[in-house]
Amino acid sequence: MKGTPRPVTEAMQSYTFSRRAWLLGTAQAGFGLVLAGRMGWIAVAQNRKYSDLSESNRVNMTLMPPRRGWLIDRHGVPIANNRTDFRVDIIPDRLVDQDRVLASLQRLLALPPEEVERIRLDLKNAAGFQPVQVAENVDWEHFAAVNVHLPELPGVAPTRGFSRHYPAGAAVAHLTGYVGVPSAEQYQKSHNPLLVTPGFKIGKDGLEKTLEDRLRGTPGAKRVEVTARGKLVAELATRPDVPGRTQKLTIDAGLQEYAARRLGTNSGSAVVLDCRTGEMLAMVSMPAYDPNSFSDGISHLEWNMLSDDDHVPLMNKVTQGLYPPGSTVKPMNGLALLRAGVSPSERVFCSGALRVGTGVFHCHKRGGHGPLDLKHAIMQSCDIFFYEMVRRLGYDHVAPVARAVGLGQKFDLPFASQRYGTVPDSQWKRRKYHDDWTVADSLNASIGQGYVLANPLQLAVMASRIGSGRTLQPSILADQVRDSPPLPLQSEHLQTIREAMWGVVNGGGTGGAARMLTPDVALAGKTGTAQVRRITMTERASGVLKNGSLPFKLRDHALFMGFAPADNPRYAIGVVLEHNGHTVRNLDTPMIARDIMTYLVDRDRAIASLAEVEPTWGGDIATRMAASQASYKAAQSPRPAAVATKTDGVVPTDSAAVEAATDLANQTQAALTGTSAAGDTVAETGSTERSDE
């Protein structure tokens, strides 16, 4: 039986209503709090975010590439500067109707057909967000015409900015490097919008690359107010860019350009140092590329031309080239002998050959020099003297002195690619080859061959340290010049060697062609010749082939190191000419060193000397490069793709051509130092040193 329903009283109704009202009120209050909190979060905590979004809808902002810091020489002369530049680019993923746009640009900018073809190829190969250059250094009339027609040219981006300029061109290529458009890989790694801003370029090689953080600067921004449909309303305040910092170098721009021209048609390098401070006054590697062309964006055709050149213009021979130093080490050998107690008056009789065990080791002078003391052995570059003395002493006593004067040493310089050479000794050979040092190793090393390797900078450092008597450290940034303690060698020994080096040039030695053009200033130095092939005893017996009759790659290297003035050293020089073979007198190391050093003390005489010979080489650097490019293009009959801009990340110092040249040099060195039939080592056949009188 069901119970009687409970009557609903007024109190019960009031309680139920109050509970529901409370729950509803609580829910409303909670929702209000959430809403208020959200509004507060948006209005306060995320105020910046939504203000920026709102501002971005109202204002369009375009990054402005910063002006790059200059590279200037020791006198303030620009080595790399910026020029005002009007340019036109295309952003591929914004491009609509490519054919129509390119036809309009061809008409507006008066582009030749080959340039239009280049742009088509670049657009095909570019990433969608990566700007493709249409034209750079556009004059105002053409630039204004593009801007007037801009609504009809979707994807076209005309900009006014600054382009990099290298006044000395190829003369500074391996010093400065160059700038270029960032690669797609670089953008994908950092997603920095500056990297895809039209006109922005970064350092790709040389000082431009290693000093990127100092030179780049901070971008500016151009702001314009627009409607929701993108129509321009007003131009707003522009945020200016912050230019990069100017970097002062120790280089003398005039000397740098002169040295590059004076190297002529050689494949070689020259380094000049200040004997008081170690500052690098010139650092030249030739032939070279034009960094202005690379910064604009070179074609595959030009890259292939540079890569195919057997003089390897893509290589920085100062920092990447390693060579047997040849007889340039004989003054250093002399210091080691004096340090070991050998008297400077002790004589060795040179008959032209020296028998050691079962081997016969020859001098470069077949008839011999007769009796010679240390000074005259250096002057005449006598091989027999140093064979005999180093055989007695042992090369382990020579190696420490070689390192003290800079051979095999690493220097703190802002270059990414550096090779440091080798100063061998018995422990080094045991570590590397698990073999014992031999007498033949000592004799080869005594004439700067065998395992001994040096770069051109080390030759200049060796000359500067012998000349100054201090452990100078080379520097190229003006704010990084270092103090130099004295060499751990006796001043009397250094003076003996300096007098011998004076005699090499001025006293009837092998370097007479280096005698200065200035009668009141003398150059002290040492010539050197480094073989790159074995000369068999059979060839020696029938007559050694002259360098002029050999293929380029089989000719001897020519070297020179020295300092001037001889009586109070101020400047030091190192010159290395690959496969020069001493074949042309005015293109040989002694006369090149003479003219470069003359430039430092009498500029007019040096320029007059260059003016006499430069026309016989085909003109100045730019003229010869233009002729070579025209000849190469005519011979290749390039396909259309060859005109496309080279956009991969490979730079000159990392190129396949440089790697191939390095591999070949390593193989040549290994062939000259390895074991062979008796009579085939460099020391046994004798060096190919010759007198330049």
Side-chain angles (χ1 to χ4, degrees), residues 90 427 464:
I90 292 176
Q427 292 184 359
S464 73

Side-chain angles (χ1 to χ4, degrees), residues 20-247:
R20 289 175 180 173
W22 180 84
L23 290 173
L24 181 61
T26 300
Q28 288 176 333
F31 180 76
L33 287 173
V34 170
L35 184 62
R38 178 62 178 167
M39 292 176 64
W41 171 259
I42 293 173
V44 179
Q46 292 194 301
N47 177 269
R48 180 66 179 272
K49 173 184 175 181
Y50 288 101
S51 294
D52 289 346
L53 286 174
S54 174
E55 185 73 2
S56 68
N57 289 330
R58 184 182 70 89
V59 177
N60 280 347
M61 186 174 71
T62 303
L63 286 179
M64 298 167 54
R67 287 162 290 176
R68 199 167 178 83
W70 286 21
L71 294 173
I72 61 175
D73 85 337
R74 62 192 302 107
H75 305 299
V77 176
I79 294 176
N81 58 11
N82 304 314
R83 295 188 301 189
T84 302
D85 175 35
F86 294 110
R87 60 179 292 125
V88 177
D89 295 279
I90 292 176
I91 311 301
D93 59 6
R94 300 178 189 172
L95 181 62
V96 178
D97 195 350
Q98 176 178 305
D99 291 339
R100 182 184 62 79
V101 170
L102 290 182
S104 297
L105 289 175
Q106 182 176 15
R107 175 176 53 83
L108 293 170
L109 295 173
L111 298 174
E114 57 269 23
E115 270 299 287
V116 177
E117 180 63 22
R118 191 269 305 166
I119 296 168
R120 289 184 185 276
L121 291 168
D122 288 355
L123 286 170
K124 181 179 179 181
N125 297 327
F129 49 78
Q130 189 176 22
V132 168
Q133 178 180 305
V134 174
E136 198 167 32
N137 298 321
V138 179
D139 61 46
W140 170 250
E141 289 75 13
H142 289 97
F143 183 74
V146 171
N147 277 277
V148 168
H149 292 84
L150 201 56
E152 309 162 18
L153 302 172
V156 175
T159 55
R160 178 186 182 277
F162 297 88
S163 63
R164 201 60 159 172
H165 178 59
Y166 306 91
V172 299
H174 290 295
L175 170 67
T176 62
Y178 65 100
V179 297
V181 176
S183 66
E185 291 76 13
Q186 287 171 317
Y187 172 73
Q188 290 165 352
K189 185 177 180 180
S190 67
H191 290 284
N192 183 346
L194 181 61
L195 298 186
V196 291
T197 301
F200 177 70
K201 295 179 179 179
I202 63 173
K204 292 283 190 175
D205 211 353
L207 294 177
E208 291 279 25
K209 179 179 180 179
T210 55
L211 301 179
E212 174 69 21
D213 291 343
R214 304 187 192 187
L215 295 172
R216 177 181 292 189
T218 304
K222 180 180 179 181
R223 302 168 67 244
V224 293
E225 186 175 1
V226 295
T227 65
R229 295 180 178 272
K231 183 178 179 180
L232 177 67
V233 175
E235 290 192 5
L236 305 178
T238 296
R239 185 184 74 200
D241 65 300
V242 178
R245 289 175 286 165
T246 293
Q247 297 298 302

Side-chain angles (χ1 to χ4, degrees), residues 155-427:
V156 175
T159 55
R160 178 186 182 277
F162 297 88
S163 63
R164 201 60 159 172
H165 178 59
Y166 306 91
V172 299
H174 290 295
L175 170 67
T176 62
Y178 65 100
V179 297
V181 176
S183 66
E185 291 76 13
Q186 287 171 317
Y187 172 73
Q188 290 165 352
K189 185 177 180 180
S190 67
H191 290 284
N192 183 346
L194 181 61
L195 298 186
V196 291
T197 301
F200 177 70
K201 295 179 179 179
I202 63 173
K204 292 283 190 175
D205 211 353
L207 294 177
E208 291 279 25
K209 179 179 180 179
T210 55
L211 301 179
E212 174 69 21
D213 291 343
R214 304 187 192 187
L215 295 172
R216 177 181 292 189
T218 304
K222 180 180 179 181
R223 302 168 67 244
V224 293
E225 186 175 1
V226 295
T227 65
R229 295 180 178 272
K231 183 178 179 180
L232 177 67
V233 175
E235 290 192 5
L236 305 178
T238 296
R239 185 184 74 200
D241 65 300
V242 178
R245 289 175 286 165
T246 293
Q247 297 298 302
K248 186 175 184 179
L249 308 182
T250 62
I251 295 294
D252 181 322
L255 177 66
Q256 176 81 13
E257 187 170 1
Y258 181 86
R261 292 174 62 188
R262 188 59 188 85
L263 286 174
T265 57
N266 280 297
S267 171
S269 53
V271 178
V272 181
L273 302 177
D274 189 318
C275 280
R276 301 168 304 173
T277 61
E279 293 170 284
M280 298 175 69
L281 305 179
M283 192 202 85
V284 180
S285 175
M286 295 299 291
Y289 57 87
D290 184 353
N292 294 301
S293 177
F294 267 60
S295 294
D296 292 342
I298 68 163
S299 66
H300 288 279
L301 177 69
E302 186 174 353
W303 177 266
N304 292 338
M305 178 192 72
L306 295 167
S307 297
D308 293 344
D309 193 330
D310 62 2
H311 284 37
V312 202
L314 296 174
M315 174 185 274
N316 183 349
K317 299 175 180 70
V318 173
T319 60
Q320 294 182 287
L322 288 180
Y323 312 91
S327 294
T328 61
V329 300
K330 288 174 179 173
M332 178 276 296
N333 289 344
L335 285 170
L337 296 176
L338 294 171
R339 187 187 189 200
V342 175
S343 170
S345 61
E346 185 172 348
R347 291 172 177 259
V348 170
F349 184 83
C350 172
S351 64
L354 174 70
R355 179 172 291 277
V356 178
T358 59
V360 178
F361 297 83
H362 291 83
C363 186
H364 69 87
K365 187 174 181 180
R366 293 293 290 172
H369 292 98
L372 292 173
D373 60 13
L374 176 59
K375 176 181 177 181
H376 289 87
I378 293 173
M379 289 171 56
Q380 300 303 324
S381 200
C382 177
D383 297 329
I384 298 297
F385 181 93
F386 290 100
Y387 291 158
E388 173 60 21
M389 286 297 187
V390 173
R391 181 185 68 83
R392 295 181 196 174
L393 184 64
Y395 200 76
D396 280 359
H397 288 85
V398 177
V401 178
R403 297 185 186 104
V405 297
L407 298 186
Q409 187 171 349
K410 299 180 180 181
F411 303 115
D412 184 17
L413 294 170
F415 294 101
S417 301
Q418 294 187 63
R419 301 177 70 207
Y420 304 105
T422 304
V423 175
D425 56 23
S426 58
Q427 292 184 359

